[in-house]
Amino acid sequence: MTHPIDYSHARFLQSAPDLARCPPDDGVEVAFAGRSNAGKSSALNALTRQNKLARISKTPGRTQLINFFDLGDQRRLVDLPGYGYAKVPATVKRDWDQNLAEYLQRRRSLRGLVLLMDIRHPLREYDWQMIHWTLEADLALHLLLTKADKLKYGPGKSTLLKVQQTLEAEGLGGFSVQTFSAVGKTGGDTLESFLDRCLTAE
Ligand code: GDP
């Protein structure tokens, strides 16, 4: 499939600790969020076909920052801090939550959120928190069930269906869900199609 945006052009732009220090709020962006270890860096690297791109977000001191990647034409990908990291003290977590909520709710150029969850542990408590913030902010939401290669086809498919059914039961059937594997190189086209829609809409 051909896509209107070449994601391999992504370049690190800047990091920000809070909304006030984000780059100018012009153009359009899509953010990536997920628990630590959900496979966010691997997905970003696979998407941008750059082995080291998301390593920037993992360097000590940057893990709790919002990291921006420029795609050109006033479009950006945004890597949000991985959450659920047990070693972080409660006070830091609270600040973090507040910064994250504020970014999601007040960032005008933000069009959508990709929420990454390990296919073996979907829809944990904090994932729901993110889903509700996204809903409140009226953003597009796309759920990525990562590391799909860890499950055989049957169990993978039934997890996907179960997640879809759970969302529908909560009245959230409009959100899209897919399986993805950075290792198996599957799901990339579907992810790009979601991003294309968010980043090219007027
Ligand atoms: P992050 O903390 O969300 O950025 O997660 P990483 O991308 O660093 O991945 C966490 C761990 O999961 C690493 O050991 C990765 O090698 C592994 N991982 C990430 N994506 C995949 C995948 O698609 N398949 C498999 N089998 N492992 C993966």
Side-chain angles (χ1 to χ4, degrees):
M1 195 189 283
T2 52
H3 293 277
I5 299 171
D6 187 346
Y7 294 93
S8 71
H9 284 165
R11 295 287 174 269
F12 177 67
L13 183 64
Q14 76 178 69
S15 301
D18 52 34
L19 184 68
R21 279 169 278 186
C22 287
D25 200 358
D26 304 321
V28 284
E29 61 197 34
V30 175
F32 285 66
R35 292 173 63 85
S36 303
N37 220 38
K40 187 155 55 69
S41 306
S42 305
L44 279 167
N45 288 343
L47 170 71
T48 59
R49 294 148 184 99
Q50 297 178 41
N51 289 335
K52 292 179 190 156
L53 183 101
R55 190 179 289 175
I56 291 158
S57 312
K58 291 216 158 193
T59 46
R62 287 228 165 120
T63 49
Q64 292 172 29
L65 299 175
I66 303 170
N67 294 298
F68 291 85
F69 298 93
D70 189 12
L71 292 165
D73 295 331
Q74 292 276 50
R75 294 174 176 138
R76 293 173 296 273
L77 298 175
V78 184
D79 188 7
L80 297 176
Y83 48 79
Y85 196 53
K87 284 181 195 147
V88 178
T91 48
V92 174
K93 253 188 197 148
R94 244 196 334 267
D95 282 354
W96 215 1
D97 276 0
Q98 202 186 331
N99 289 335
L100 209 55
E102 201 174 51
Y103 167 79
L104 292 175
Q105 283 160 6
R106 309 242 308 261
R107 182 82 173 160
R108 283 192 317 272
S109 48
L110 182 62
R111 293 299 148 86
L113 186 91
V114 178
L115 179 58
L116 295 94
M117 302 178 290
D118 188 318
I119 194 163
R120 297 163 299 175
H121 317 288
L123 297 173
R124 293 276 184 93
E125 191 185 339
Y126 209 93
D127 297 324
W128 282 111
Q129 170 75 268
M130 290 300 295
I131 290 172
H132 288 299
W133 278 337
T134 307
L135 203 64
E136 277 169 29
D138 206 17
L139 298 169
L141 177 66
H142 186 68
L143 304 189
L144 210 64
L145 303 176
T146 60
K147 311 187 196 178
D149 59 286
K150 291 272 193 187
L151 293 185
K152 292 211 169 74
Y153 180 78
K157 186 88 188 158
S158 72
T159 304
L160 178 68
L161 284 172
K162 220 158 115 190
V163 169
Q164 279 166 338
Q165 283 163 358
T166 308
L167 289 175
E168 271 164 33
E170 295 284 323
L172 307 172
F175 294 155
S176 43
V177 192
Q178 67 159 113
T179 57
F180 181 88
S181 168
V183 168
K185 298 193 186 337
T186 57
D189 245 359
T190 312
L191 171 61
E192 287 196 29
S193 296
F194 171 75
L195 297 173
D196 292 343
R197 278 199 301 280
C198 290
L199 295 170
T200 56
E202 287 302 312

